[in-house]
Structure formats: C-alpha cells, structure tokens
Amino acid sequence: MDKARTSPRRLSVPDTIGLAFVALLLVWLAINFVKGPQEFVNVALIGLTNGAIYGLVALGYTLVYGILQLINFAHGDVFALAGLVASSVIVSVLGLDTGSSIVVIVGGLLVTLVLIMSGFALFNASIERIAYRPLRNAPRLAPLITAIGMSFIVQNISLAFYGVDYQTVPNFISRSPVFEVGSVSYSWNKLTVLIIVVPLLVLLTWFVTSTRQGKAMRAVAQDTEASAMMGIDVNRTIGVTFMIAGALAGGAGIVYLLQFNMRYDTGFQLGLIAFTAAVLGGIGNLAGAVLGALTIGFIEAFNEGLTWNAPGSDWTRTIVFAILILILVFRPEGLLGERTPEGA
C-alpha cells in the first residue's frame, strides 16, 4: 500500500493558528447571534449594503490591475470627485429637492447617473492617455509613482472646487422600512444601493465574459504581446478598461453620496478600503473583488454593531488590515485569486 496516498496531511503551525483564529471568530459570531438574533441580522444587512458600495469601487482597482498590473491610486480620488460633481448636478443644475415629485426625483437621479458615469469614464480614460500610456514600457516603479501623483492631483482638483466642507444632497429616498419582521427591518435608502449596484455588477460580468471587447480585455490581461500579435488593439483595450473603471467610480460616487456626506479626501479613505478588498479577494479577479468588499463590509458592521465583546469602531481599521495580513500570509493570492509567478 502506498503510504504517501494514505497518510493524512499533517497541519503546519501556521495552518493550526489560522484554523484556531477562524474557529474563535465563528464562536464569537455564534454567541452574538444567540444573544440577539434580530440585532445580528440588522447589522448583517448594514454590512451587505456597505460591502456593495465598496465592491463597486474595488472593481475599478481590480480591472486596471488585471490588465496593467498597475495599482491606480487615483481611482479613489476619481470616485470622490465624481460624488462631488454629482452633488452639484443634483442640487445646482437640476434643482432637485425633497419637494419635487417622485417622477422628477427618479428621472433626475437617472440623468445624473448617466451623466456622471459617462463623464468620469472619459475623465479616467484621459488620465490613462496622459499619465500612464507614455510610461507603458518604463520600469514598473515609474507608473506606480505617477499613480500616486495623479491621486494628489485629482484630490487637489476636488479641494480647489469644493473646499474642505462636506457636500451633501437632500434625503430623496425614504428611510422608512421596505420590510419589517419583528425588530428586523431594511430601509428604502439601503435597498436603493442594491438596486443600483447589483445590475451594474451583472452588466459588468456580462460585458467581460460575453462581449468581443471583454474577451479582448481578458486576452490582454493574460498576455499583452500575444494579444497584439493576434490583432487586438492593446491601447484601445486598455483605454476601454479605464473607461469602465471610471464609470464604476462615477456610479459608486452617486450611490455613496445618497447615503453619506462627501468631501475632497473621502476617496482616500474609501479607496484604501476598496483596494484592500480587491487584494483580499484576489486582485485582478472580479468575483474576488466583490467577495473581498462584502467581507470587509461585514467585518465593519459586526465590529461596530454587535454588542457582545465587540472591539468597537476605533479598532475597525486595525481588524480589517490584521485579517488582510493573515489571509495574505496563509493565501498570498487572496481568497479567489490565482497564484502567479510573481506571487500576486
């Protein structure tokens, strides 16, 4: 008998530590669920909503990294600028307020969504054309530094036009519950996030997997030189990728604006979370970015919303990055990523 095939695999020390950590986490969640099941479900729904917003931004990071292996640090700032411009369109250009009819509000928000997503698709493509394309064959450190520089430039554009004050829009969408079962409820404003985000995610998945341009994006991501030899216009494909990422940032900016306030540096904070989500899920992998974003959304919500031995909001960032480090130690390619020669 072949002993190598019958002997059970012995767990290493890191494996044991990782499994013990997961077990403790599950026990903590189970105890909180038993102590307050309705509160647990309410907190989980908040995590689902926030995770959906993070996912929309994380997809922009993972799309660009997947095709260029570039961490586009400016993406979070494009998201923030999109939200700020959207506030101007909604309040100053369209003049929407809570006294407007439902038809006018819905129509105005749809017009804003189309304008912002289209405008920031072109804006992001312009960034690629001006700042990144000339460095296509430069050492990888050069576009990385350029991305950091573009982040500061976009952030300062936001600061110059909107100042340091938070921008907001009226509460167009009711905070009343869509459904209420006992103490468990879900409000219309949170459902609106899913109504916008889920179709965008489905549309993106269909585009990447089923269209000619999407297949070209996947081919360029796998091998740029081979794609060029097969007749794929690499520059146009990369430009389209940046346009999609910019449109996603625009959509996320509006969704975030309808829930929270925004200012010039909101993109840095949320962009950091979204980038972490992309790495956590396996950067370059669309499903991984969404899974990572939902994971972080749930971690935030459980840590800040549960009452039994929860560390609290002061520890949220620490916990998120500690979990990221642990996952990268045990699975460097992320939750759904594929191991590459460079260990990405």
Side-chain angles (χ1 to χ4, degrees):
M1 182 179 292
D2 188 351
K3 292 183 179 180
R5 294 177 59 186
T6 57
S7 300
R9 175 178 174 267
R10 298 182 63 181
L11 292 177
S12 64
V13 173
D15 288 342
T16 306
I17 294 174
L19 290 174
F21 176 79
V22 172
L24 284 174
L25 180 63
L26 293 176
V27 168
W28 176 71
L29 289 174
I31 292 175
N32 271 286
F33 180 76
V34 171
K35 285 181 173 291
Q38 295 177 336
E39 175 194 51
F40 187 93
V41 175
N42 278 327
V43 169
L45 291 174
I46 293 173
L48 174 67
T49 307
N50 292 341
I53 299 175
Y54 298 155
L56 211 51
V57 183
L59 283 169
Y61 281 105
T62 211
L63 273 173
V64 171
Y65 184 87
I67 203 163
L68 274 183
Q69 283 73 55
L70 168 70
I71 302 172
N72 183 20
F73 288 105
H75 187 71
D77 301 289
V78 172
F79 148 79
L81 182 58
L84 294 172
V85 174
S87 70
S88 295
V89 173
I90 291 171
V91 176
S92 303
V93 178
L94 299 179
L96 299 181
D97 58 39
T98 52
S100 304
S101 67
I102 294 178
V103 174
V104 171
I105 290 175
V106 172
L109 291 179
L110 286 175
V111 168
T112 305
L113 186 67
V114 172
L115 287 176
I116 294 299
M117 290 185 70
S118 304
F120 279 86
L122 295 176
F123 181 75
N124 212 38
S126 301
I127 290 176
E128 187 275 330
R129 181 66 184 85
I130 296 170
Y132 300 144
R133 188 175 299 181
L135 301 174
R136 190 69 52 77
N137 298 316
R140 294 182 66 175
L141 187 60
L144 186 67
I145 297 298
T146 303
I148 295 173
M150 282 308 306
S151 172
F152 283 113
I153 291 171
V154 176
Q155 189 176 113
N156 277 284
I157 291 173
S158 301
L159 181 62
F161 282 95
Y162 292 93
V164 297
D165 296 330
Y166 282 95
Q167 305 294 318
T168 186
V169 294
N171 292 327
F172 297 116
I173 303 170
S174 172
R175 265 58 176 171
S176 60
V178 182
F179 64 85
E180 200 165 9
V181 181
S183 299
V184 176
S185 64
Y186 198 60
S187 57
W188 279 104
N189 64 316
K190 292 185 175 60
L191 179 64
T192 304
V193 173
L194 299 182
I195 289 175
I196 296 175
V197 170
V198 172
L200 286 176
L201 296 181
V202 172
L203 183 63
L204 176 65
T205 304
W206 169 80
F207 182 85
V208 172
T209 58
S210 303
T211 66
R212 186 182 181 89
Q213 186 62 59
K215 292 174 182 175
M217 289 167 59
R218 290 158 56 197
V220 172
Q222 289 185 2
D223 193 324
T224 303
E225 294 181 358
S227 301
M229 287 189 289
M230 295 299 292
I232 294 175
D233 188 333
V234 173
N235 284 331
R236 189 184 70 178
T237 303
I238 292 173
V240 169
T241 303
F242 270 82
M243 289 183 72
I244 294 172
L248 291 173
I254 294 177
V255 170
Y256 190 88
L257 180 71
L258 293 175
Q259 301 292 319
F260 310 104
N261 300 327
M262 295 188 79
R263 69 174 194 174
Y264 74 99
D265 61 351
T266 302
F268 174 77
Q269 301 169 26
L270 194 136
L272 191 60
I273 293 173
F275 175 67
T276 304
V279 175
L280 183 63
I283 193 161
N285 184 300
L286 298 182
V290 175
L291 177 61
L294 291 176
T295 302
I296 289 181
F298 284 125
I299 290 171
E300 277 190 348
F302 288 142
N303 177 55
E304 298 173 9
L306 297 181
T307 54
W308 186 79
N309 283 340
S313 58
D314 291 342
W315 287 89
T316 297
R317 297 289 178 268
T318 304
I319 292 171
V320 167
F321 283 99
I323 290 176
L324 173 67
I325 292 170
L326 285 173
I327 288 182
L328 292 182
V329 167
F330 295 113
R331 189 173 170 78
E333 64 272 26
L335 294 173
L336 298 183
E338 297 178 358
R339 192 178 292 273
T340 66
E342 62 182 13

mmCIF file of all heavy atoms in Angstrom, residues 78-89 116 120 155 157-159 162-163 165-168 253 257 262-266:
data_model
loop_
_atom_site.group_PDB
_atom_site.id
_atom_site.type_symbol
_atom_site.label_atom_id
_atom_site.label_comp_id
_atom_site.label_asym_id
_atom_site.label_seq_id
_atom_site.Cartn_x
_atom_site.Cartn_y
_atom_site.Cartn_z
ATOM 1 N N VAL A 78 -10.880 59.738 -7.969
ATOM 2 C CA VAL A 78 -11.853 59.893 -9.066
ATOM 3 C C VAL A 78 -13.260 59.626 -8.536
ATOM 4 O O VAL A 78 -14.217 60.349 -8.864
ATOM 5 C CB VAL A 78 -11.513 58.938 -10.224
ATOM 6 C CG1 VAL A 78 -12.616 58.937 -11.278
ATOM 7 C CG2 VAL A 78 -10.184 59.328 -10.861
ATOM 8 N N PHE A 79 -13.377 58.612 -7.685
ATOM 9 C CA PHE A 79 -14.673 58.300 -7.055
ATOM 10 C C PHE A 79 -15.189 59.507 -6.257
ATOM 11 O O PHE A 79 -16.358 59.898 -6.374
ATOM 12 C CB PHE A 79 -14.501 57.069 -6.151
ATOM 13 C CG PHE A 79 -15.375 57.038 -4.945
ATOM 14 C CD1 PHE A 79 -16.706 56.648 -5.039
ATOM 15 C CD2 PHE A 79 -14.870 57.408 -3.697
ATOM 16 C CE1 PHE A 79 -17.518 56.630 -3.909
ATOM 17 C CE2 PHE A 79 -15.671 57.390 -2.575
ATOM 18 C CZ PHE A 79 -16.996 56.999 -2.676
ATOM 19 N N ALA A 80 -14.313 60.127 -5.448
ATOM 20 C CA ALA A 80 -14.735 61.264 -4.620
ATOM 21 C C ALA A 80 -15.118 62.465 -5.480
ATOM 22 O O ALA A 80 -16.140 63.132 -5.231
ATOM 23 C CB ALA A 80 -13.619 61.644 -3.653
ATOM 24 N N LEU A 81 -14.314 62.759 -6.510
ATOM 25 C CA LEU A 81 -14.622 63.890 -7.387
ATOM 26 C C LEU A 81 -15.953 63.655 -8.108
ATOM 27 O O LEU A 81 -16.752 64.591 -8.289
ATOM 28 C CB LEU A 81 -13.490 64.080 -8.399
ATOM 29 C CG LEU A 81 -13.636 65.259 -9.373
ATOM 30 C CD1 LEU A 81 -13.779 66.575 -8.605
ATOM 31 C CD2 LEU A 81 -12.435 65.329 -10.321
ATOM 32 N N ALA A 82 -16.211 62.397 -8.498
ATOM 33 C CA ALA A 82 -17.484 62.076 -9.152
ATOM 34 C C ALA A 82 -18.657 62.367 -8.223
ATOM 35 O O ALA A 82 -19.677 62.938 -8.638
ATOM 36 C CB ALA A 82 -17.489 60.605 -9.581
ATOM 37 N N GLY A 83 -18.518 61.978 -6.958
ATOM 38 C CA GLY A 83 -19.592 62.243 -5.999
ATOM 39 C C GLY A 83 -19.815 63.730 -5.794
ATOM 40 O O GLY A 83 -20.960 64.201 -5.702
ATOM 41 N N LEU A 84 -18.722 64.500 -5.715
ATOM 42 C CA LEU A 84 -18.845 65.951 -5.517
ATOM 43 C C LEU A 84 -19.504 66.612 -6.728
ATOM 44 O O LEU A 84 -20.374 67.487 -6.575
ATOM 45 C CB LEU A 84 -17.461 66.551 -5.261
ATOM 46 C CG LEU A 84 -16.802 66.115 -3.948
ATOM 47 C CD1 LEU A 84 -15.362 66.615 -3.876
ATOM 48 C CD2 LEU A 84 -17.588 66.644 -2.753
ATOM 49 N N VAL A 85 -19.091 66.222 -7.927
ATOM 50 C CA VAL A 85 -19.712 66.781 -9.137
ATOM 51 C C VAL A 85 -21.188 66.383 -9.193
ATOM 52 O O VAL A 85 -22.048 67.190 -9.578
ATOM 53 C CB VAL A 85 -18.963 66.312 -10.398
ATOM 54 C CG1 VAL A 85 -19.683 66.776 -11.654
ATOM 55 C CG2 VAL A 85 -17.535 66.837 -10.396
ATOM 56 N N ALA A 86 -21.492 65.169 -8.790
ATOM 57 C CA ALA A 86 -22.886 64.720 -8.774
ATOM 58 C C ALA A 86 -23.729 65.585 -7.841
ATOM 59 O O ALA A 86 -24.887 65.898 -8.146
ATOM 60 C CB ALA A 86 -22.956 63.252 -8.350
ATOM 61 N N SER A 87 -23.155 65.989 -6.702
ATOM 62 C CA SER A 87 -23.910 66.854 -5.774
ATOM 63 C C SER A 87 -24.246 68.183 -6.445
ATOM 64 O O SER A 87 -25.348 68.718 -6.260
ATOM 65 C CB SER A 87 -23.106 67.079 -4.486
ATOM 66 O OG SER A 87 -21.978 67.900 -4.724
ATOM 67 N N SER A 88 -23.313 68.716 -7.249
ATOM 68 C CA SER A 88 -23.581 69.968 -7.966
ATOM 69 C C SER A 88 -24.671 69.775 -9.019
ATOM 70 O O SER A 88 -25.550 70.624 -9.182
ATOM 71 C CB SER A 88 -22.298 70.479 -8.637
ATOM 72 O OG SER A 88 -21.344 70.824 -7.667
ATOM 73 N N VAL A 89 -24.590 68.645 -9.739
ATOM 74 C CA VAL A 89 -25.596 68.381 -10.786
ATOM 75 C C VAL A 89 -26.986 68.256 -10.162
ATOM 76 O O VAL A 89 -27.968 68.838 -10.647
ATOM 77 C CB VAL A 89 -25.230 67.098 -11.567
ATOM 78 C CG1 VAL A 89 -26.349 66.723 -12.526
ATOM 79 C CG2 VAL A 89 -23.927 67.298 -12.325
ATOM 80 N N ILE A 116 -22.808 61.381 -14.947
ATOM 81 C CA ILE A 116 -21.591 61.204 -14.141
ATOM 82 C C ILE A 116 -20.799 59.982 -14.607
ATOM 83 O O ILE A 116 -19.564 60.039 -14.750
ATOM 84 C CB ILE A 116 -21.958 61.076 -12.645
ATOM 85 C CG1 ILE A 116 -22.555 62.392 -12.145
ATOM 86 C CG2 ILE A 116 -20.720 60.719 -11.824
ATOM 87 C CD1 ILE A 116 -21.631 63.582 -12.242
ATOM 88 N N PHE A 120 -17.127 60.588 -16.172
ATOM 89 C CA PHE A 120 -15.931 60.106 -15.485
ATOM 90 C C PHE A 120 -15.314 58.890 -16.179
ATOM 91 O O PHE A 120 -14.156 58.550 -15.901
ATOM 92 C CB PHE A 120 -16.234 59.859 -14.007
ATOM 93 C CG PHE A 120 -16.176 61.142 -13.229
ATOM 94 C CD1 PHE A 120 -17.293 61.952 -13.146
ATOM 95 C CD2 PHE A 120 -15.003 61.593 -12.665
ATOM 96 C CE1 PHE A 120 -17.251 63.173 -12.494
ATOM 97 C CE2 PHE A 120 -14.938 62.807 -12.006
ATOM 98 C CZ PHE A 120 -16.066 63.605 -11.920
ATOM 99 N N GLN A 155 -7.175 64.797 -6.151
ATOM 100 C CA GLN A 155 -7.657 65.221 -4.836
ATOM 101 C C GLN A 155 -7.620 66.744 -4.704
ATOM 102 O O GLN A 155 -8.533 67.362 -4.150
ATOM 103 C CB GLN A 155 -6.812 64.574 -3.742
ATOM 104 C CG GLN A 155 -7.365 64.779 -2.344
ATOM 105 C CD GLN A 155 -6.547 64.046 -1.291
ATOM 106 O OE1 GLN A 155 -5.902 64.676 -0.462
ATOM 107 N NE2 GLN A 155 -6.577 62.727 -1.327
ATOM 108 N N ILE A 157 -7.811 68.881 -7.190
ATOM 109 C CA ILE A 157 -8.879 69.443 -8.030
ATOM 110 C C ILE A 157 -10.182 69.506 -7.222
ATOM 111 O O ILE A 157 -10.895 70.523 -7.226
ATOM 112 C CB ILE A 157 -9.062 68.588 -9.302
ATOM 113 C CG1 ILE A 157 -7.852 68.745 -10.227
ATOM 114 C CG2 ILE A 157 -10.342 69.003 -10.038
ATOM 115 C CD1 ILE A 157 -7.868 67.810 -11.432
ATOM 116 N N SER A 158 -10.461 68.427 -6.494
ATOM 117 C CA SER A 158 -11.660 68.410 -5.643
ATOM 118 C C SER A 158 -11.578 69.502 -4.586
ATOM 119 O O SER A 158 -12.561 70.220 -4.325
ATOM 120 C CB SER A 158 -11.810 67.043 -4.965
ATOM 121 O OG SER A 158 -11.920 66.015 -5.909
ATOM 122 N N LEU A 159 -10.407 69.641 -3.976
ATOM 123 C CA LEU A 159 -10.227 70.653 -2.921
ATOM 124 C C LEU A 159 -10.390 72.059 -3.475
ATOM 125 O O LEU A 159 -11.016 72.928 -2.849
ATOM 126 C CB LEU A 159 -8.845 70.482 -2.289
ATOM 127 C CG LEU A 159 -8.483 71.441 -1.160
ATOM 128 C CD1 LEU A 159 -9.439 71.266 0.020
ATOM 129 C CD2 LEU A 159 -7.040 71.205 -0.703
ATOM 130 N N TYR A 162 -14.327 72.478 -4.375
ATOM 131 C CA TYR A 162 -15.357 72.243 -3.350
ATOM 132 C C TYR A 162 -14.896 72.564 -1.937
ATOM 133 O O TYR A 162 -15.704 72.468 -1.004
ATOM 134 C CB TYR A 162 -15.832 70.786 -3.431
ATOM 135 C CG TYR A 162 -16.599 70.502 -4.693
ATOM 136 C CD1 TYR A 162 -15.961 70.008 -5.829
ATOM 137 C CD2 TYR A 162 -17.960 70.761 -4.781
ATOM 138 C CE1 TYR A 162 -16.657 69.770 -7.006
ATOM 139 C CE2 TYR A 162 -18.669 70.522 -5.948
ATOM 140 C CZ TYR A 162 -18.012 70.034 -7.056
ATOM 141 O OH TYR A 162 -18.709 69.821 -8.220
ATOM 142 N N GLY A 163 -13.648 72.927 -1.738
ATOM 143 C CA GLY A 163 -13.175 73.293 -0.413
ATOM 144 C C GLY A 163 -13.140 72.123 0.545
ATOM 145 O O GLY A 163 -13.212 70.957 0.137
ATOM 146 N N ASP A 165 -15.319 71.651 3.102
ATOM 147 C CA ASP A 165 -16.620 71.306 3.685
ATOM 148 C C ASP A 165 -17.208 70.058 3.028
ATOM 149 O O ASP A 165 -16.997 69.801 1.844
ATOM 150 C CB ASP A 165 -17.604 72.464 3.518
ATOM 151 C CG ASP A 165 -17.156 73.702 4.291
ATOM 152 O OD1 ASP A 165 -16.487 73.521 5.327
ATOM 153 O OD2 ASP A 165 -17.464 74.825 3.853
ATOM 154 N N TYR A 166 -17.965 69.325 3.830
ATOM 155 C CA TYR A 166 -18.664 68.159 3.288
ATOM 156 C C TYR A 166 -19.805 68.619 2.396
ATOM 157 O O TYR A 166 -20.491 69.609 2.689
ATOM 158 C CB TYR A 166 -19.214 67.293 4.420
ATOM 159 C CG TYR A 166 -18.165 66.427 5.084
ATOM 160 C CD1 TYR A 166 -17.511 66.852 6.239
ATOM 161 C CD2 TYR A 166 -17.834 65.194 4.552
ATOM 162 C CE1 TYR A 166 -16.549 66.059 6.843
ATOM 163 C CE2 TYR A 166 -16.873 64.397 5.145
ATOM 164 C CZ TYR A 166 -16.232 64.834 6.290
ATOM 165 O OH TYR A 166 -15.272 64.050 6.882
ATOM 166 N N GLN A 167 -20.017 67.911 1.298
ATOM 167 C CA GLN A 167 -21.126 68.173 0.384
ATOM 168 C C GLN A 167 -22.177 67.078 0.577
ATOM 169 O O GLN A 167 -21.839 65.908 0.796
ATOM 170 C CB GLN A 167 -20.643 68.176 -1.073
ATOM 171 C CG GLN A 167 -19.512 69.125 -1.359
ATOM 172 C CD GLN A 167 -19.920 70.581 -1.198
ATOM 173 O OE1 GLN A 167 -21.009 70.974 -1.618
ATOM 174 N NE2 GLN A 167 -19.064 71.388 -0.569
ATOM 175 N N THR A 168 -23.418 67.482 0.471
ATOM 176 C CA THR A 168 -24.490 66.511 0.666
ATOM 177 C C THR A 168 -25.648 66.834 -0.256
ATOM 178 O O THR A 168 -25.652 67.887 -0.907
ATOM 179 C CB THR A 168 -24.961 66.514 2.133
ATOM 180 O OG1 THR A 168 -25.907 65.464 2.325
ATOM 181 C CG2 THR A 168 -25.598 67.860 2.499
ATOM 182 N N GLY A 253 -19.742 56.869 -6.689
ATOM 183 C CA GLY A 253 -19.787 58.203 -6.083
ATOM 184 C C GLY A 253 -21.219 58.648 -5.830
ATOM 185 O O GLY A 253 -21.525 59.200 -4.762
ATOM 186 N N LEU A 257 -22.960 59.162 -2.206
ATOM 187 C CA LEU A 257 -23.496 60.490 -1.904
ATOM 188 C C LEU A 257 -24.930 60.406 -1.394
ATOM 189 O O LEU A 257 -25.330 61.200 -0.532
ATOM 190 C CB LEU A 257 -23.435 61.367 -3.162
ATOM 191 C CG LEU A 257 -23.955 62.790 -3.022
ATOM 192 C CD1 LEU A 257 -23.000 63.627 -2.172
ATOM 193 C CD2 LEU A 257 -24.132 63.437 -4.392
ATOM 194 N N MET A 262 -19.860 63.757 1.534
ATOM 195 C CA MET A 262 -18.580 63.549 0.855
ATOM 196 C C MET A 262 -17.764 64.836 0.882
ATOM 197 O O MET A 262 -18.322 65.933 0.897
ATOM 198 C CB MET A 262 -18.785 63.154 -0.613
ATOM 199 C CG MET A 262 -19.465 61.829 -0.806
ATOM 200 S SD MET A 262 -19.470 61.341 -2.542
ATOM 201 C CE MET A 262 -17.792 60.735 -2.716
ATOM 202 N N ARG A 263 -16.457 64.687 0.876
ATOM 203 C CA ARG A 263 -15.585 65.831 0.653
ATOM 204 C C ARG A 263 -14.335 65.368 -0.091
ATOM 205 O O ARG A 263 -14.250 64.201 -0.464
ATOM 206 C CB ARG A 263 -15.250 66.553 1.952
ATOM 207 C CG ARG A 263 -14.357 65.795 2.902
ATOM 208 C CD ARG A 263 -13.986 66.698 4.070
ATOM 209 N NE ARG A 263 -12.884 66.155 4.832
ATOM 210 C CZ ARG A 263 -12.284 66.793 5.822
ATOM 211 N NH1 ARG A 263 -12.681 68.012 6.173
ATOM 212 N NH2 ARG A 263 -11.280 66.241 6.463
ATOM 213 N N TYR A 264 -13.385 66.277 -0.263
ATOM 214 C CA TYR A 264 -12.281 66.015 -1.186
ATOM 215 C C TYR A 264 -11.449 64.783 -0.814
ATOM 216 O O TYR A 264 -10.884 64.118 -1.688
ATOM 217 C CB TYR A 264 -11.368 67.244 -1.270
ATOM 218 C CG TYR A 264 -10.499 67.464 -0.057
ATOM 219 C CD1 TYR A 264 -9.179 67.060 -0.041
ATOM 220 C CD2 TYR A 264 -11.021 68.053 1.078
ATOM 221 C CE1 TYR A 264 -8.380 67.249 1.075
ATOM 222 C CE2 TYR A 264 -10.237 68.250 2.209
ATOM 223 C CZ TYR A 264 -8.923 67.835 2.195
ATOM 224 O OH TYR A 264 -8.140 68.017 3.308
ATOM 225 N N ASP A 265 -11.345 64.470 0.487
ATOM 226 C CA ASP A 265 -10.490 63.343 0.885
ATOM 227 C C ASP A 265 -11.266 62.058 1.176
ATOM 228 O O ASP A 265 -10.686 61.082 1.653
ATOM 229 C CB ASP A 265 -9.631 63.724 2.094
ATOM 230 C CG ASP A 265 -10.475 64.080 3.312
ATOM 231 O OD1 ASP A 265 -11.707 64.193 3.166
ATOM 232 O OD2 ASP A 265 -9.903 64.260 4.401
ATOM 233 N N THR A 266 -12.563 62.043 0.879
ATOM 234 C CA THR A 266 -13.344 60.814 1.103
ATOM 235 C C THR A 266 -12.787 59.658 0.273
ATOM 236 O O THR A 266 -12.791 58.503 0.704
ATOM 237 C CB THR A 266 -14.823 61.059 0.737
ATOM 238 O OG1 THR A 266 -15.322 62.133 1.521
ATOM 239 C CG2 THR A 266 -15.660 59.820 0.989
#
